[in-house]
Amino acid sequence: MKTLYFRIVVTFILIAMVSSVLALFLSNWYYLTKLRDQNEEQIWKITTEIRSLYEEMPNVEPATYFTHIANMGFQLYVVNDQMTGTFYGTPYKHTQFDPEQIQRVLAGETYRGMLQERHVLMVIGYFENSLRNSIGVPVQVQGKTYALFVRPNLEQQIGGVRVLMAFLLGLTFLFSIVLIIIFSQFIVKPVKRLREATRRIVGGSYEMTMDVSRQDEIGELARDFTFMAQSLKQVEAMRQEFVGNVSHEIQSPLTSIQGFAQSILDQTTSEEEKERYLHIILDESKRLSSLSKQLLTLASLDKESHVVKRTMYRLDEQIRQILIHTEWQWSEKALDIELDLPETDVSADHQLMHQVWLNLITNGIKYARPHDALHIAIQSSEMEVTVVVSDTGIGMSESELPHIFTRFYKADRSRNRASTGTGLGLSIVEKIIELHGGSIHVQSELGKGTTFTVHLPRM
């Protein structure tokens, strides 16, 4: 099984086990540095005290004395010079011992096995019930030298505590595993919900209920996921609307072309009507061609596959060239062209920005009335360049302004505004300006004109 739940449980159990091992080694280090010498010194003092106390009472029966000492929580082993030994108290679990060590103690030396014994984990030596893990001193018993080996009887002194601690640690580890198994479900549960929500999104359903009240990373993920779902829902709605708009924009001229072409083929029209129909077919074809080009431009800009190729050029000259190319349009309406174009250098994509100014200027011309004015001005600073394109044409209402950059949006056709357009021009303008790191704003008043203000970074 490779589920997230299984991995979390296994990870937590491994963490508990590794933590236990690390705690064991840390305890071993603490025992070596702090407790071992201290513990050995205490047993050494007790052992010498046992010897001294007996030597001060030589008339006491040795077996009785050592038995009473053992009953106080110690394990004793007394050996004579014939290597015959007697255990008092609980016998040692491990009695293997080097006879030479006994001979040395009988000869007057001492044996401090608690310091001499070596283990992989030295803390284990503290609990080792072995004759090697004891303190040995010579003692005079009825005029003869004996070797006395002493160690605390931990089973008697702290046996209950040891069992209690082992029981406590065992239950702690067991309950930890059980709680990990239970509470891991609460961690995995919201992830499972996210997975189910993802599958619903793949299936086309964007309605979902997520726990966004949590104040942790899962809550943040749920909020971000909900926001993403809503965004995808909006994108899907926009996509469907886009497809519908494109279909409508294509179907309308195609229907006109088919209708007029069929009328011509039926040979029921006069020559004048044929010529008029052919002009309509030509205009509708041009409209389809323009729509196709603008859709391709938008697709390229949306994917940002169109790399902005910045060059330094004269912005004022570019605008003048566009006015020259559109002269027949504004001359036909006898528009008053007002220019305020100081010499201005800008770093931008020359071809893309040409589309921006051409669209804004032709819009101003298209929606201007005869003898209206078209004003174009450039203002520059160290950081940015501002271009203002203003006309005194028919203008727009406040309700129209929020939608003019929406794709395929067209203002009220009853006032002949954008009646022959595709509704994509201003969308392309906004996208190009955004790719250049700039912004565009519009102000308009119905019957008084419209002003577009474009801000571009200088570099």
Side-chain angles (χ1 to χ4, degrees), residues 11 13 71-72 82 146 154 285 312 314-315 321 345 405 431:
T11 300
I13 292 176
N71 291 338
M72 295 172 63
Q82 302 299 319
Y146 283 73
L154 297 180
S285 300
M312 188 66 71
R314 287 272 299 276
L315 179 60
Q321 287 296 323
D345 292 325
F405 294 110
K431 187 65 178 179

Side-chain angles (χ1 to χ4, degrees), residues 12 23 86 105 223 254 281 285 304 373:
F12 282 168
T86 304
V105 174
R223 286 189 289 273
L254 283 178
I281 291 173
S285 300
E304 297 188 0

